[in-house]
Coordinates of all heavy atoms in Angstrom, one line a residue:
M1 N 55.9 -42.7 -44.2 CA 57.3 -42.8 -44.1 C 57.7 -42.1 -42.8 O 57.1 -41.1 -42.4 CB 58.0 -42.1 -45.3 CG 59.5 -42.1 -45.2 SD 60.3 -41.4 -46.6 CE 60.5 -42.8 -47.6
A2 N 58.6 -42.7 -42.1 CA 59.0 -42.1 -40.8 C 60.1 -41.0 -41.0 O 60.6 -40.9 -42.1 CB 59.6 -43.3 -40.0
N3 N 60.3 -40.3 -40.0 CA 61.3 -39.3 -40.0 C 62.7 -39.9 -40.1 O 63.0 -40.8 -39.3 CB 61.2 -38.4 -38.7 CG 62.2 -37.3 -38.6 OD1 63.2 -37.2 -39.4 ND2 62.0 -36.4 -37.7
D4 N 63.5 -39.5 -41.0 CA 64.8 -40.1 -41.1 C 65.9 -39.4 -40.3 O 67.1 -39.6 -40.5 CB 65.2 -40.3 -42.6 CG 65.8 -39.0 -43.2 OD1 65.5 -37.9 -42.7 OD2 66.4 -39.1 -44.2
N5 N 65.5 -38.4 -39.5 CA 66.4 -37.6 -38.7 C 67.5 -37.0 -39.5 O 68.7 -36.9 -39.0 CB 67.0 -38.5 -37.5 CG 65.9 -39.0 -36.6 OD1 65.1 -38.2 -36.2 ND2 65.9 -40.2 -36.3
G6 N 67.2 -36.5 -40.7 CA 68.2 -35.8 -41.5 C 69.3 -36.6 -42.0 O 70.3 -36.1 -42.3
T7 N 69.1 -37.9 -42.2 CA 70.2 -38.8 -42.7 C 70.1 -39.0 -44.2 O 71.1 -38.8 -44.9 CB 70.3 -40.1 -42.0 OG1 69.0 -40.8 -42.1 CG2 70.6 -39.9 -40.5
L8 N 69.0 -39.5 -44.7 CA 68.9 -39.8 -46.1 C 68.4 -38.6 -47.0 O 68.9 -38.4 -48.1 CB 68.0 -41.0 -46.4 CG 68.5 -42.3 -45.9 CD1 67.5 -43.4 -46.1 CD2 69.8 -42.7 -46.5
F9 N 67.4 -37.9 -46.5 CA 66.9 -36.8 -47.4 C 67.9 -35.8 -47.8 O 67.9 -35.4 -49.0 CB 65.6 -36.2 -46.7 CG 64.5 -37.1 -46.6 CD1 63.7 -37.2 -45.4 CD2 64.1 -38.0 -47.6 CE1 62.6 -38.0 -45.3 CE2 63.0 -38.8 -47.5 CZ 62.3 -38.9 -46.3
P10 N 68.8 -35.3 -46.9 CA 69.8 -34.4 -47.4 C 70.7 -35.0 -48.5 O 71.1 -34.3 -49.5 CB 70.6 -34.0 -46.2 CG 69.6 -34.3 -45.1 CD 68.8 -35.5 -45.5
V11 N 71.0 -36.2 -48.3 CA 71.9 -36.9 -49.3 C 71.2 -37.0 -50.7 O 71.7 -36.7 -51.7 CB 72.3 -38.3 -48.8 CG1 73.0 -39.1 -49.9 CG2 73.2 -38.2 -47.6
V12 N 69.9 -37.5 -50.6 CA 69.1 -37.6 -51.8 C 69.0 -36.3 -52.5 O 69.1 -36.1 -53.7 CB 67.8 -38.3 -51.5 CG1 66.9 -38.2 -52.7 CG2 68.0 -39.7 -51.1
G13 N 68.7 -35.2 -51.7 CA 68.6 -33.9 -52.3 C 69.8 -33.4 -53.0 O 69.8 -32.9 -54.1
R14 N 71.0 -33.6 -52.4 CA 72.2 -33.1 -53.0 C 72.5 -33.9 -54.2 O 73.0 -33.3 -55.2 CB 73.4 -33.3 -52.0 CG 73.4 -32.2 -50.9 CD 74.7 -32.2 -50.1 NE 74.9 -33.5 -49.4 CZ 74.4 -33.7 -48.2 NH1 73.7 -32.8 -47.6 NH2 74.7 -34.9 -47.6
E15 N 72.3 -35.2 -54.2 CA 72.5 -36.0 -55.4 C 71.6 -35.6 -56.5 O 72.0 -35.5 -57.7 CB 72.3 -37.5 -55.1 CG 73.4 -38.1 -54.2 CD 73.2 -39.6 -53.9 OE1 72.3 -40.2 -54.4 OE2 74.1 -40.1 -53.2
F16 N 70.3 -35.4 -56.2 CA 69.4 -35.0 -57.3 C 69.8 -33.6 -57.9 O 69.8 -33.5 -59.1 CB 68.0 -34.8 -56.7 CG 67.0 -34.4 -57.7 CD1 66.4 -35.3 -58.6 CD2 66.7 -33.0 -57.9 CE1 65.5 -34.9 -59.6 CE2 65.8 -32.6 -58.9 CZ 65.2 -33.6 -59.7
E17 N 70.2 -32.7 -57.1 CA 70.7 -31.4 -57.6 C 71.9 -31.6 -58.5 O 72.0 -30.9 -59.5 CB 71.0 -30.4 -56.4 CG 69.8 -30.0 -55.7 CD 70.1 -28.9 -54.6 OE1 71.2 -28.4 -54.6 OE2 69.2 -28.7 -53.8
R18 N 72.8 -32.4 -58.1 CA 74.0 -32.6 -58.9 C 73.7 -33.3 -60.2 O 74.2 -32.9 -61.3 CB 75.0 -33.5 -58.1 CG 76.4 -33.6 -58.7 CD 77.4 -34.3 -57.9 NE 77.0 -35.7 -57.5 CZ 76.7 -36.0 -56.2 NH1 76.8 -35.2 -55.3 NH2 76.3 -37.3 -56.0
V19 N 72.7 -34.2 -60.3 CA 72.4 -34.9 -61.5 C 71.5 -34.1 -62.4 O 71.7 -34.0 -63.6 CB 71.7 -36.3 -61.2 CG1 71.2 -36.9 -62.4 CG2 72.7 -37.2 -60.5
H20 N 70.4 -33.4 -61.8 CA 69.4 -32.8 -62.6 C 69.5 -31.3 -62.6 O 68.8 -30.6 -63.4 CB 68.0 -33.2 -62.0 CG 67.7 -34.6 -62.3 ND1 67.2 -35.1 -63.5 CD2 67.8 -35.7 -61.5 CE1 67.1 -36.4 -63.4 NE2 67.4 -36.8 -62.2
G21 N 70.2 -30.7 -61.7 CA 70.4 -29.3 -61.6 C 69.1 -28.6 -61.0 O 68.1 -29.2 -60.9
V22 N 69.4 -27.4 -60.4 CA 68.3 -26.7 -59.8 C 68.6 -25.2 -60.1 O 69.7 -24.8 -60.1 CB 68.4 -26.8 -58.2 CG1 67.5 -25.9 -57.5 CG2 68.1 -28.3 -57.9
R23 N 67.5 -24.5 -60.5 CA 67.7 -23.1 -60.7 C 67.2 -22.3 -59.5 O 66.3 -22.7 -58.8 CB 66.7 -22.7 -61.9 CG 67.2 -23.1 -63.2 CD 66.4 -22.6 -64.4 NE 65.4 -21.7 -64.1 CZ 64.1 -21.8 -64.4 NH1 63.7 -22.8 -65.1 NH2 63.2 -20.9 -64.1
E24 N 67.9 -21.2 -59.3 CA 67.5 -20.3 -58.2 C 66.8 -19.1 -58.8 O 67.2 -18.6 -59.8 CB 68.7 -19.9 -57.3 CG 69.3 -21.0 -56.6 CD 70.4 -20.6 -55.5 OE1 70.6 -19.4 -55.4 OE2 70.9 -21.5 -54.9
A25 N 65.8 -18.6 -58.1 CA 65.0 -17.5 -58.5 C 64.4 -16.8 -57.3 O 64.3 -17.4 -56.2 CB 63.9 -17.9 -59.5
E26 N 63.9 -15.6 -57.5 CA 63.2 -14.9 -56.5 C 61.8 -14.9 -56.8 O 61.3 -14.6 -57.9 CB 63.7 -13.5 -56.3 CG 65.1 -13.4 -55.7 CD 65.6 -12.0 -55.5 OE1 64.8 -11.1 -55.4 OE2 66.8 -11.8 -55.3
V27 N 61.0 -15.2 -55.8 CA 59.5 -15.2 -55.9 C 59.1 -14.2 -54.8 O 59.2 -14.5 -53.6 CB 58.9 -16.6 -55.7 CG1 57.3 -16.4 -55.7 CG2 59.4 -17.5 -56.7
G28 N 58.7 -13.0 -55.2 CA 58.5 -12.0 -54.2 C 59.8 -11.7 -53.5 O 60.9 -11.6 -54.1
P29 N 59.8 -11.7 -52.1 CA 61.0 -11.4 -51.4 C 61.8 -12.7 -51.1 O 62.9 -12.7 -50.5 CB 60.6 -10.8 -50.1 CG 59.2 -11.3 -49.9 CD 58.6 -11.5 -51.3
A30 N 61.2 -13.9 -51.5 CA 61.8 -15.2 -51.1 C 62.8 -15.7 -52.2 O 62.5 -15.7 -53.4 CB 60.8 -16.2 -50.9
R31 N 63.9 -16.2 -51.8 CA 64.9 -16.8 -52.6 C 64.4 -18.3 -52.7 O 64.3 -19.0 -51.7 CB 66.3 -16.8 -52.0 CG 67.4 -17.1 -52.9 CD 67.7 -15.9 -53.8 NE 68.8 -16.3 -54.7 CZ 68.7 -16.1 -56.0 NH1 67.7 -15.5 -56.5 NH2 69.6 -16.5 -56.8
C32 N 64.2 -18.8 -54.0 CA 63.6 -20.1 -54.2 C 64.5 -21.0 -55.0 O 65.3 -20.5 -55.8 CB 62.3 -20.0 -54.9 SG 61.1 -19.1 -53.9
R33 N 64.4 -22.3 -54.9 CA 65.1 -23.3 -55.7 C 64.0 -24.0 -56.5 O 63.1 -24.6 -56.0 CB 65.8 -24.2 -54.8 CG 66.9 -23.5 -53.9 CD 67.4 -24.4 -52.8 NE 68.3 -25.4 -53.4 CZ 69.6 -25.2 -53.8 NH1 70.1 -24.0 -53.8 NH2 70.3 -26.2 -54.3
L34 N 64.2 -23.9 -57.8 CA 63.2 -24.4 -58.8 C 63.8 -25.7 -59.4 O 65.0 -25.8 -59.8 CB 63.0 -23.4 -59.9 CG 62.6 -22.0 -59.5 CD1 62.4 -21.1 -60.7 CD2 61.3 -22.1 -58.7
L35 N 63.0 -26.8 -59.3 CA 63.5 -28.1 -59.8 C 62.3 -28.8 -60.5 O 61.2 -28.5 -60.2 CB 64.0 -28.9 -58.7 CG 63.1 -29.0 -57.4 CD1 62.5 -30.3 -57.4 CD2 64.0 -28.8 -56.2

């Protein structure tokens, strides 16, 4: 797959989060998004 230059992937990610939800958690010092 080619680079989409930030056009579709951010949209797909936001839609997925809205539909399926994402949990936030800390793993060590890093803030993570669990899906």
